[in-house]
Amino acid sequence: MSNVVVVGAQWGDEGKGRIVDWLAEKADIVVRYNGGHNAGHTLVVDGRTYKLALLPSGVVRGKLGLIGNGVALDPEALLAEIDRMAAMGIRVTPEVLQIAETATLVLPVHRAIDAAQERMRAKPLGTTLRGIGPAYEDKVGRRGLRVCDLAEPELLAQKLDVLLEHHNAWLRGSGQEPFPRDPMLNDLLAMAPRILPFVGRVWEQLDHAHSSGKRVVFEGSQAVMLDVDWGSYPYVTSSSTIAAGAASGAGIAPSHLGRVLGVSKVYATRVGEGPFTSELDGALGDELRERGGEYGVNTGRPRRCGWLDTVQLRQSCKVAGINQLALTKLDVLDGFESVQLCVGYMLDGARIDYMPSTNAEQQRLQPVLRRFDGWVGSTRGVRSYGDLPPQAAALIDAIQNEVGVPVAMVTTGPERDDAIVLQPPFA
């Protein structure tokens, strides 16, 4: 297989950017296919930390990065990120970045709507307030603006009028001030000359890459449990996060996607609201958070922490087509007296081995936990499976047995080469 799709297998923040960065050394192209700047990917390279949101992780290696049509693109956020990379010595030019013509634009009005909707909910969803959801709503409602519209100022103004007519009616109806048109239009026209040189036919480039045998990494954002169809609805994102989303969100045939590598921590985290069956409250959860640095890359929000849920992970693998696992942050568990895995659920007195579809049932789940001995030695920086403490190796074996998917690699530290490779994803 010449291509690999990287999918978050939990609730996001699994370390996908780091895995994509490692794969990018062997790839020719890295493609973002969903989400927007609500995603945060952290790379540590030679002691320097790069925090990416919209840019494909391969740009740090100088590989061609493509932003697909499935991405919700905030032009202001993209240009700010390009400027941050330039300040760190990474030049992002049209030779190393191309943006799909039909990618949806995220606008300031979307951020305003996002914040207003979150304030009005009796129970907030915990969105990042970046305007991603409202932008996707406009896309599906057929009133959205797309990147290609930046090249047609008159059409851009007309489409903006239609979009604002819709949103301002809602704002007025909810007792809020309507959103002004001209400042937003002027900002878009000012940014257009910087954005348009990056715009191209991403689908065509991917078709050429396939026919010429190039290696492509498809970089997903968020995760299966945040998928709009397969996640813990309504506490989800607004795009397709599974491997199938890579085909529709980048413009490539599903048969050309290749392997699907699911990324999971050896424990579990979640940001925002929603059910989390294996969550740890109190001192142990706090310790996991501090050891793992579990705070949002872009938002700084503390992540909820718990034991790895193998029922959830197994279900994610099935619906997302995951056929290899990358386990991250093994070194965070160093020194724990014991470690546990969630291997089943109790629902109203009965044991089940799947995650129910309703939020009410998910909230009533109780975890069935299996205990494992911890280890005294350090796994940090270990790059050979045989050098792991026996207890750590036993935990990895148990995870792949419970989930039914082989572990291809395990990360043991923040540097890109702190990893144990068991099955090379590219073959």
Side-chain angles (χ1 to χ4, degrees):
M1 294 289 184
S2 59
N3 300 333
V4 177
V5 184
V6 178
V7 173
Q10 297 171 297
W11 288 274
D13 308 309
E14 301 94 348
K16 297 180 293 295
R18 185 293 184 54
I19 299 299
V20 171
D21 174 61
W22 184 86
L23 289 168
E25 183 180 22
K26 304 163 184 63
D28 301 296
I29 301 172
V30 178
V31 189
R32 274 288 308 276
Y33 63 84
N34 74 308
H37 66 305
N38 54 343
H41 294 173
T42 301
L43 314 178
V44 180
V45 182
D46 297 329
R48 299 194 76 187
T49 300
Y50 300 87
K51 295 185 177 183
L52 305 178
L54 280 165
L55 292 174
S57 295
V59 299
V60 177
R61 289 190 181 269
K63 298 300 177 77
L64 176 62
L66 303 178
I67 295 178
N69 56 279
V71 171
L73 186 99
D74 185 319
E76 184 179 351
L78 176 66
L79 293 177
E81 191 171 336
I82 289 173
D83 290 342
R84 287 197 303 273
M85 288 297 104
M88 299 184 73
I90 305 292
R91 291 187 67 247
V92 179
T93 67
E95 287 68 42
V96 296
L97 176 68
Q98 288 285 288
I99 303 168
E101 300 167 302
T102 54
T104 295
L105 290 176
V106 180
L107 307 173
V109 67
H110 294 133
R111 296 194 290 272
I113 294 290
D114 201 352
Q117 290 176 340
E118 193 76 343
R119 285 194 305 269
M120 294 172 66
R121 292 185 177 105
K123 189 174 183 181
L125 297 178
T127 79
T128 60
L129 306 180
R130 303 296 173 92
I132 308 302
Y136 278 123
E137 287 183 44
D138 280 346
K139 175 181 179 177
V140 176
R142 294 169 292 185
R143 58 181 169 267
L145 273 63
R146 304 189 297 177
V147 172
C148 55
D149 295 328
L150 294 174
E152 301 285 347
E154 290 187 10
L155 177 62
L156 181 71
Q158 294 170 14
K159 294 187 71 173
L160 193 57
D161 285 337
V162 172
L163 184 145
L164 284 177
E165 183 179 3
H166 171 85
H167 287 304
N168 282 337
W170 182 86
L171 287 167
R172 292 188 190 97
S174 59
Q176 301 178 72
E177 289 295 319
F179 206 88
R181 166 194 185 263
D182 288 348
M184 187 162 52
L185 176 60
N186 292 336
D187 286 345
L188 287 171
L189 294 175
M191 289 185 286
R194 288 193 65 190
I195 295 290
L196 289 173
F198 293 97
V199 178
R201 293 184 295 277
V202 165
W203 64 268
E204 189 174 62
Q205 294 186 62
L206 287 174
D207 182 68
H208 176 72
H210 175 73
S211 63
S212 57
K214 292 185 177 180
R215 289 178 166 181
V216 181
V217 177
F218 296 88
E219 178 180 15
S221 65
Q222 287 86 42
V224 179
M225 295 313 300
L226 297 176
D227 184 87
V228 69
D229 288 305
W230 299 106
S232 48
Y233 192 90
Y235 303 99
V236 295
T237 192
S238 300
S239 63
S240 175
T241 64
I242 62 176
S248 59
I252 189 170
S255 57
H256 297 167
L257 290 178
R259 283 195 172 92
V260 182
L261 180 66
V263 185
S264 168
K265 291 172 184 168
V266 291
Y267 51 97
T269 63
R270 180 167 192 169
V271 172
E273 302 298 324
F276 186 179
T277 306
S278 62
E279 184 172 9
L280 288 168
D281 294 320
L284 194 53
D286 292 341
E287 185 177 1
L288 263 179
R289 183 181 304 108
E290 295 307 315
R291 284 191 182 200
E294 299 298 349
Y295 296 89
V297 174
N298 289 320
T299 64
R301 291 190 296 178
R303 297 170 185 149
R304 300 154 62 192
C305 297
W307 298 124
L308 178 64
D309 185 340
T310 62
V311 182
Q312 171 270 311
L313 187 55
R314 180 170 60 245
Q315 189 161 321
S316 288
C317 289
K318 291 181 183 297
V319 301
I322 293 168
N323 46 37
Q324 287 184 322
L325 282 174
L327 299 178
T328 62
K329 293 195 168 185
L330 180 66
D331 54 303
V332 173
L333 298 182
D334 289 352
F336 278 99
E337 182 179 343
S338 64
V339 176
Q340 300 197 67
L341 297 179
C342 175
V343 296
Y345 301 139
M346 298 299 296
L347 176 62
D348 302 333
R351 179 164 175 168
I352 61 173
D353 61 357
Y354 63 92
M355 182 170 284
S357 58
T358 72
N359 185 259
E361 285 184 314
Q362 290 178 22
Q363 296 284 8
R364 298 202 303 273
L365 294 176
Q366 296 296 318
V368 177
L369 297 172
R370 179 181 170 191
R371 181 189 180 279
F372 294 81
D373 289 335
W375 52 90
V376 176
S378 173
T379 63
R380 192 175 184 86
V382 171
R383 300 180 183 182
S384 170
Y385 193 76
D387 292 336
L388 288 175
Q391 299 90 340
L395 180 67
I396 294 168
D397 289 343
I399 292 170
Q400 59 185 357
N401 288 336
E402 289 286 345
V403 177
V405 172
V407 172
M409 63 185 300
V410 182
T411 73
T412 57
E415 289 288 344
R416 59 168 46 144
D417 293 322
D418 289 342
I420 300 167
V421 181
L422 302 171
Q423 295 182 7
F426 283 121

